[in-house]
């Protein structure tokens, strides 16, 4: 209908509508050309060609200037067009064979920002038809994914103003979620209310707490304004519409306002112009991605509880020129004041340096899990790699031995430089420049015995208490151990002196009960190649004392450690305890050379058990001293308050006096090596 009062206005509006239509058709034409380029590009050609983009940008700027337009605003439009183009090309790099519309869950109701993000992301992914399902909480979305009610979940992980979304971070660390994509959405909040309402008449604004936080300045600008927390921005809009209350407003997207039948009273009400939320798409399994796509990878890792541990992890990224785009620390629920980290890095593990960095990180962290790799959709430019600083990395002073890398044992072996991992048991470190004494009886025999043993070894400087509850005996008629009730006695005795405890696991069936009580799991010589047990132990989070089998080579010991680490548990301490040779003068032959050899081949701490090698107590001290001098990180020695009455390995049990002698003998050796007692 023409405006009878102002026909010029009417014409101008008509012209705008025509131009807008042409603009959309031109964008469609541009996208068709982009698709042809996408199809023509070889897989090895990256989607983002910075030089070409700079040339396009300059051409636009020249044209803008020639037309007397703002280079800034025209540049902004170009950026959006280019972003859309990248996605157009990606669609063609992707080979998606989706059966039916994928069901995608999100937290909120129709009109929520998450739903808009799903629509935007799935157009890019080549399946614009999606079935969006809203849930009341993030947990409900994760449950729906787990029980198959949905195919994907889209969860917000961070906002550019408010930071992390802790509930989602927690789900990522607790549940085995697989990240398959990301989306970044501009959040543009408006104030909406009943049709006919006015800003001046509003008394209460209702919205999601984060949205309220993001619009603090606008809220403070009112003389008096109540705020009301609602579980979702779109649901807040719906509730305002239902109330019919002219004094009630909602902070939500314009889309949500429109859907609810509300009138938009003010736009762009957030405190900051750039308000963006980053979402992660969680799937059921990892998905293939285009080879020419810039990628990102999300990880969660635990750092060891000691000085400089986090720095060591971050150094790995620096050493491999891997760009870290996000790092968030999260508490570890069962370990107060210890932390795990959620990190995002640029690249994919299949890219050489990224894969190498992750392997190295596995060596220096307590625990590492890759959450997934996905197309990098962030708008921040990818930082060019920095020149590598080889010279800076050179160690001062020549190392005692050269690292030996072994690509078949990526987790146990050193990377390109010597590293030493420290494994903490309770709060006691093993490795680094510390020397740790573990002592206690061969077997737990009674409450009284273990209490006296704990007191005795603690007095002599032991920091960790040992004791067997499940004993591997050569004869079925020998004492087999007290089982879990015995372990309870050991734990109790350890607690009295602040000592964590280590005990042997013989069978997978016993593992649960032992994990609930002990601080460290021992794999005995007889079980070093019980691969099912090693795998089960690898799935626990307790540190492991892995003894060398009595007929096992050093390589086989390292392979056994790799078994445990490959399951995710990297807290392994190796133990040389004597091997079978033709010599009969000792119970076994202590292989002192295994200590420096292991130090060359692995970053894991190495301790020595001289008791089972010697078999008799008067040889334990000299063997122990030789082990310390050869570079061991600690000792595990058997001691008994009354060796004559011991039910197990009585001949090799140290007395109080011999234990004292051992510690005095060690002092000058440790001083000479620059080590200190743990
Ligand atoms: C022990 O430590 O008690 C033990 C049985 O050791 P090994 O497995 O080295 O024989
Ligand atoms: Mn023993």
């Amino acid at each position: 209908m023409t405006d009878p009062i102002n026909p010029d206005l009417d014409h101008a509006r008509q012209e705008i509508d025509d131009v807008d239509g042409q603009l959309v058709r031109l964008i469609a034409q541009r996208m068709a050309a982009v698709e042809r380029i996408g199809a023509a590009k070889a897989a090895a050609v990256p989607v983002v060609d910075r030089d070409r983009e700079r040339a396009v940008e300059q051409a636009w700027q020249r044209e803008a200037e020639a037309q007397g337009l703002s280079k800034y605003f025209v540049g902004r439009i170009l950026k959006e067009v280019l972003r859309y183009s990248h996605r157009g090309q990606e669609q063609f790099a992707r080979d998606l064979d989706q059966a039916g519309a994928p069901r995608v869950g999100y937290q909120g109701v129709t009109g929520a920002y998450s739903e808009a993000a799903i629509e935007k992301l799935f157009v890019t992914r080549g399946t614009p038809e999606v079935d969006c399902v809203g849930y009341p909480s993030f947990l409900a979305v994760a449950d729906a994914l787990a029980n198959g009610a949905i195919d994907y979940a889209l969860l917000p992980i961070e906002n550019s103003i408010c930071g992390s979304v802790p509930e989602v971070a927690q789900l990522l660390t607790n549940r085995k979620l697989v990240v398959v994509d990301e989306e970044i959405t501009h959040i543009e909040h408006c104030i909406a209310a009943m049709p006919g309402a006015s800003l001046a008449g509003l008394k209460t604004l209702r919205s999601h707490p984060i949205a309220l936080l993001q619009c603090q300045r606008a809220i403070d600008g009112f003389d008096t304004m109540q705020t009301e927390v609602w579980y979702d921005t779109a649901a807040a809009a719906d509730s305002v519409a239902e109330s019919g209350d002219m004094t009630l407003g909602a902070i939500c997207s314009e889309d949500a306002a429109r859907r609810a039948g509300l009138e938009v009273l003010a736009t762009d009400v957030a405190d900051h112009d750039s308000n963006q939320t980053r979402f992660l798409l969680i799937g059921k399994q990892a998905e293939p991605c285009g080879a020419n796509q810039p990628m990102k990878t999300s990880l969660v890792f635990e750092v060891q509880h000691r000085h400089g541990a986090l720095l060591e992890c971050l150094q790995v990224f620096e050493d491999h020129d891997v760009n870290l785009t996000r790092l968030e620390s999260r508490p570890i629920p069962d370990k107060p004041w210890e932390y795990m980290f959620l990190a995002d890095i640029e690249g994919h593990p299949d890219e050489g340096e990224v894969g190498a960095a992750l392997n190295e990180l596995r060596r220096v962290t307590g625990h590492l899990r890759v959450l997934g790799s996905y197309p990098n959709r962030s708008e921040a430019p990818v930082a060019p790699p920095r020149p590598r600083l080889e010279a800076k990395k050179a160690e001062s002073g020549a190392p005692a031995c050269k690292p030996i890398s072994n690509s078949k044992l990526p987790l146990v072996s050193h990377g390109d430089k010597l590293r030493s991992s420290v494994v903490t048991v309770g709060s006691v470190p093993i490795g680094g420049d510390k020397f740790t004494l573990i002592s206690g009886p061969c077997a737990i025999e009674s409450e009284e015995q273990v209490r006296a043993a704990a007191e005795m070894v603690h007095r002599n400087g032991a920091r960790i208490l040992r004791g067997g509850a499940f004993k591997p005996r050569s004869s079925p008629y020998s004492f087999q151990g007290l089982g879990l009730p015995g372990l309870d006695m050991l734990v109790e005795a350890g607690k009295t002196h602040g000592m964590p405890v280590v005990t042997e696991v013989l069978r997978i069936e016993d593992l649960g009960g032992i994990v609930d009580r002990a601080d460290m799991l021992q794999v005995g010589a007889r079980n070093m190649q019980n691969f099912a047990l090693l795998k089960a132990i690898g799935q626990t989070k307790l540190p492991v004392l892995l003894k060398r089998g009595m007929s096992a080579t050093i390589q086989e010991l390292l392979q056994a450690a790799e078994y445990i680490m490959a399951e995710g548990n990297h807290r392994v301490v190796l133990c040389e305890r004597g091997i079978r040779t033709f010599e009969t003068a000792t119970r076994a032959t202590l292989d002192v050379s295994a200590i420096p050899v292991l130090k060359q081949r692995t970053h894991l701490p190495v301790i020595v058990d001289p008791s089972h090698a010697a078999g008799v107590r008067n040889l334990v001290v000299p063997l122990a001293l030789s082990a310390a001098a050869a570079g061991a990180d600690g000792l595990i020695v058997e001691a008994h308050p009354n060796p004559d009455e011991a039910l197990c390995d009585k001949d090799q049990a140290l007395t109080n006096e011999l234990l004292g002698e051992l510690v005095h003998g060690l002092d000058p050796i440790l001083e000479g090596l620059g080590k200190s007692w743990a």
Side-chain angles (χ1 to χ4, degrees), residues 131-215:
D131 197 357
C132 292
V133 195
Y135 289 88
S137 67
F138 296 127
L139 198 62
V141 185
D143 285 343
L145 184 68
N147 66 31
I150 51 175
D151 304 306
Y152 294 99
L154 191 87
L155 302 174
I157 180 67
E158 58 178 326
N159 174 267
S160 59
I161 298 173
C162 297
S164 169
V165 182
E167 298 93 326
V168 175
Q170 195 170 354
L171 284 172
L172 281 177
T173 55
N174 287 353
R175 303 235 179 156
K176 295 225 153 158
L177 300 182
V178 185
V179 182
V180 297
D181 216 326
E182 70 169 355
E183 184 54 275
I184 292 142
T185 295
H186 289 261
I187 304 289
E188 284 163 357
H189 292 309
C190 72
I191 295 178
M194 293 302 295
S198 70
L199 277 178
L202 294 184
K203 292 207 172 95
T204 307
L205 281 177
R206 183 179 277 177
S207 194
H208 188 276
I210 300 231
L212 291 171
L213 206 63
Q214 292 166 343
C215 303

Side-chain angles (χ1 to χ4, degrees), residues 18 38 77 101 103 154 174 212 215 230 274 289 335 345 375 427 451 601 603-604 638 674:
D18 289 347
I77 296 167
R103 295 159 302 169
L154 191 87
N174 287 353
L212 291 171
C215 303
W230 217 250
S274 179
C289 356
K335 293 186 200 159
I345 54 173
S427 59
R451 221 184 287 137
R601 295 194 188 179
H603 56 94
L604 296 174
E638 290 186 347

Side-chain angles (χ1 to χ4, degrees), residues 442 466 471-472 504 522 524-526 547 550 577 587 609 612 638 649:
C442 177
R466 66 149 285 154
K471 291 306 304 175
E504 182 167 351
Q522 178 174 326
R526 291 155 193 82
K547 287 194 157 192
M550 48 191 111
R577 47 79 71 206
R587 184 175 173 184
D609 172 352
H612 290 86
E638 290 186 347
D649 287 349

Side-chain angles (χ1 to χ4, degrees), residues 104-422:
V104 189
Y106 65 96
Q107 187 265 328
V109 298
T110 300
Y113 288 106
S114 301
E115 199 193 41
I118 293 172
E119 281 165 16
K120 184 175 166 210
L121 177 58
F122 277 78
V123 166
T124 305
R125 289 170 59 85
T127 47
E129 286 299 310
V130 282
D131 197 357
C132 292
V133 195
Y135 289 88
S137 67
F138 296 127
L139 198 62
V141 185
D143 285 343
L145 184 68
N147 66 31
I150 51 175
D151 304 306
Y152 294 99
L154 191 87
L155 302 174
I157 180 67
E158 58 178 326
N159 174 267
S160 59
I161 298 173
C162 297
S164 169
V165 182
E167 298 93 326
V168 175
Q170 195 170 354
L171 284 172
L172 281 177
T173 55
N174 287 353
R175 303 235 179 156
K176 295 225 153 158
L177 300 182
V178 185
V179 182
V180 297
D181 216 326
E182 70 169 355
E183 184 54 275
I184 292 142
T185 295
H186 289 261
I187 304 289
E188 284 163 357
H189 292 309
C190 72
I191 295 178
M194 293 302 295
S198 70
L199 277 178
L202 294 184
K203 292 207 172 95
T204 307
L205 281 177
R206 183 179 277 177
S207 194
H208 188 276
I210 300 231
L212 291 171
L213 206 63
Q214 292 166 343
C215 303
Q216 208 49 57
R217 226 178 292 150
I219 296 168
D220 290 346
F222 291 95
D223 280 344
T224 52
M225 182 62 78
Q226 304 272 348
T227 54
E228 225 175 84
V229 165
W230 217 250
Y231 73 94
D232 176 61
T233 52
D238 289 346
S239 74
V240 170
E242 270 163 37
S243 75
D245 182 345
M246 304 294 276
T247 69
L248 187 59
I251 292 180
C252 57
S253 69
E254 287 189 47
D255 185 39
R258 213 172 309 115
R259 285 176 200 242
L262 297 183
E263 190 175 320
V264 173
L265 301 183
T267 54
D268 288 337
V269 291
D271 295 353
H272 300 266
D273 279 348
S274 179
N275 179 0
Q276 299 176 38
T277 294
R278 180 168 164 254
F279 295 86
L280 294 178
L281 184 69
I282 312 295
K284 289 179 176 154
Q285 62 208 26
E287 293 183 354
C289 356
N292 55 353
Q293 193 83 37
M295 299 292 287
K296 243 190 212 175
T297 297
S298 291
L299 335 159
V300 55
F301 60 88
E302 281 180 22
V303 300
Q304 300 181 355
H305 192 39
R306 63 183 166 79
H307 282 273
L310 177 61
L311 183 64
E312 219 173 278
C313 293
L314 299 182
Q315 187 66 43
V316 171
F317 296 124
E318 158 73 11
D319 289 350
H320 291 273
D321 285 332
V322 171
N323 190 27
L324 184 71
T325 57
R326 178 168 190 263
L327 185 67
E328 178 185 354
S329 81
R330 300 282 315 156
I332 305 179
D334 47 356
K335 293 186 200 159
W337 319 125
E338 289 192 33
Y339 299 90
M340 61 178 119
F341 292 85
L342 271 171
D344 293 338
I345 54 173
E346 280 174 356
H348 187 283
D350 287 349
E351 295 165 23
E353 282 300 313
V354 178
L358 292 180
N359 276 339
E360 193 123 347
L361 191 60
R362 283 196 175 92
R363 291 186 196 111
V364 298
T365 53
H367 190 85
L368 167 70
R369 188 157 59 89
V370 173
L371 299 174
S373 295
Y374 46 89
N376 183 350
R377 304 191 185 286
S378 88
E379 293 163 16
V382 179
R386 300 209 284 122
R388 303 202 61 176
L389 302 173
E390 290 302 341
K392 195 194 79 190
K393 286 192 290 171
E395 302 281 341
S396 58
C401 53
K402 279 204 153 45
I404 296 179
S405 270
N406 184 342
S407 60
K408 294 201 173 116
L409 298 174
L411 303 179
V412 298
S413 61
H414 294 283
D416 47 11
K417 62 180 176 192
L418 272 178
R419 274 186 196 287
S420 58
S421 295
V422 177

Side-chain angles (χ1 to χ4, degrees), residues 444 467-471 480-492 501 503-507 509-518 521:
I444 302 154
F470 299 88
K471 291 306 304 175
Q480 304 283 313
L482 298 180
L484 291 182
L487 184 50
D488 287 332
M489 295 172 198
L490 184 78
V491 172
E492 211 40 55
V501 304
T503 200
E504 182 167 351
V505 185
L506 287 188
R507 309 181 306 165
E509 299 92 294
D510 303 325
L511 195 52
I514 297 176
V515 165
D516 287 345
R517 296 167 169 83
L521 306 172

